Amino acid sequence: AQSVTQLGSHVSVSEGALVLLRCNYSSSVPPYLFWYVQYPNQGLQLLLKYTTGATLVKGINGFEAEFKKSETSFHLTKPSAHMSDAAEYFCAVTNTGGFKTIFGAGTRLFVKA
Amino acid sequence: DAGITQSPRHKVTETGTPVTLRCHQTENHRYMYWYRQDPGHGLRLIHYSYGVKDTDKGEVSDGYSVSRSKTEDFLLTLESATSSQTSVYFCAISDVDLNTEAFFGQGTRLTVV
C-alpha cells in the first residue's frame, strides 16, 4: 500500500526566506510524485510532478522538488518566499501500475511580512 | 484550466435526506474521481470511475454511491446524509496516460445539520 506523510501541518516563514515543505512516501513500486497547491476556497492546482528521469523537478512559481529514492522523500523548496505563496500544499503519490492518487494531510504555509 | 464544473457549490441539508452532487467535464477524460477534504486528513478518495458505468470504491466509500452514465458526468449520492459527511467534496479528472496529474474542480461545500 502507498502512503504519504507530510511533516508539519503548519509552516511559517518570513518573506524572502527559504521555503521547505517536507514529504515522505512509501510505495512498493516506483512512484509518481506530485505537489499541489490550494488557495482559499479553490480546488487544487499542480505545482510540479516527478514521473521518471531527472530527480530535480522544477515547477511553477519558482518551486522545485527533489526525488530522493534512498530517503523516500520528495521535499518542496523555494529559495525566497513571497506573500502570495501563502496557501496549503499537498504532496501526493501514485504508482506506475495504477491511477489512484494518495494525498498527504497537507501543510499550510504562512508567510510573514 | 481544465473544464470541470461541480454543482452545487454550496449546500445545506438535513440529516437523513439524500443528496446528489454533480461533476461535469468537457475534457473527455476517461477517469473521474470524488474526494472529500477534511482538516488533518488531506483528500481522501470516495469513489472513482474508469469509464461509463465502470466505477469502484475508494478508501471512504461507506454511505456514498456514484453513477456515470455519460463520459462527461459523474454523480455522487449521499444516500442518507449524516453530520459526519459535512465536508468539502472535490471532483477530479485525469487522462488515460498514467503520467498525467489529476485536474480538480472548485469543490462543493456540504453541511449536514
Side-chain angles (χ1 to χ4, degrees):
Chain A
Q2 295 176 302
S3 66
V4 176
T5 302
Q6 291 185 239
L7 301 178
S9 59
H10 297 83
V11 170
S12 182
V13 300
S14 297
E15 193 172 22
L18 172 71
V19 175
L20 171 60
L21 304 183
R22 300 178 187 272
C23 173
N24 288 91
Y25 69 91
S26 66
S27 177
S28 58
V29 296
Y32 291 169
L33 296 159
F34 308 85
W35 275 100
Y36 287 85
V37 61
Q38 185 182 33
Y39 299 102
N41 299 313
Q42 295 188 24
L44 278 69
Q45 305 172 33
L46 183 73
L47 268 181
L48 48 82
K49 64 182 179 183
Y50 168 79
T51 54
T52 59
T55 57
L56 182 62
V57 180
K58 295 186 184 299
I60 61 172
N61 301 336
F63 285 94
E64 62 182 36
E66 185 172 12
F67 169 58
K68 292 187 176 180
K69 183 178 180 180
S70 62
E71 299 178 8
T72 61
S73 69
F74 192 57
H75 301 331
L76 181 70
T77 61
K78 181 174 180 178
S80 177
H82 192 273
M83 297 296 288
S84 61
D85 294 327
E88 189 156 21
Y89 293 79
F90 293 93
C91 182
V93 63
T94 188
N95 65 53
T96 54
F99 50 88
K100 291 183 288 182
T101 305
I102 305 298
F103 288 85
T107 298
R108 185 167 296 279
L109 177 66
F110 297 91
V111 182
K112 299 174 293 186
Chain B
D1 291 345
I4 310 171
T5 304
Q6 291 185 231
S7 58
R9 293 291 314 279
H10 302 271
K11 186 171 182 66
V12 179
T13 193
E14 293 184 350
T15 298
T17 61
V19 177
T20 295
L21 308 183
R22 179 178 184 244
C23 178
H24 178 79
Q25 63 148 327
T26 58
E27 305 297 320
N28 201 36
H29 284 357
R30 178 178 168 189
Y31 297 99
M32 299 186 75
Y33 314 82
W34 277 107
Y35 289 89
R36 60 177 290 173
Q37 183 179 24
D38 304 289
H41 292 277
L43 278 79
R44 293 179 291 176
L45 183 64
I46 304 171
H47 281 279
Y48 62 96
S49 170
Y50 46 95
V52 173
K53 298 186 179 177
D54 291 324
T55 66
D56 205 348
K57 297 178 179 180
E59 62 181 308
V60 290
S61 60
D62 287 348
Y64 301 94
S65 62
V66 291
S67 66
R68 191 167 179 201
S69 58
K70 298 184 291 185
T71 298
E72 57 266 34
D73 290 325
F74 192 34
L75 304 181
L76 176 71
T77 297
L78 287 66
E79 295 143 7
S80 177
T82 67
S83 58
S84 65
Q85 293 176 312
T86 292
S87 186
V88 180
Y89 292 85
F90 285 98
C91 175
I93 63 174
S94 67
D95 197 87
V96 174
D97 179 359
L98 296 175
N99 287 342
T100 66
E101 69 275 19
F103 298 95
F104 285 82
Q106 294 296 296
T108 295
R109 184 172 296 276
L110 176 69
T111 303
V112 183
V113 298

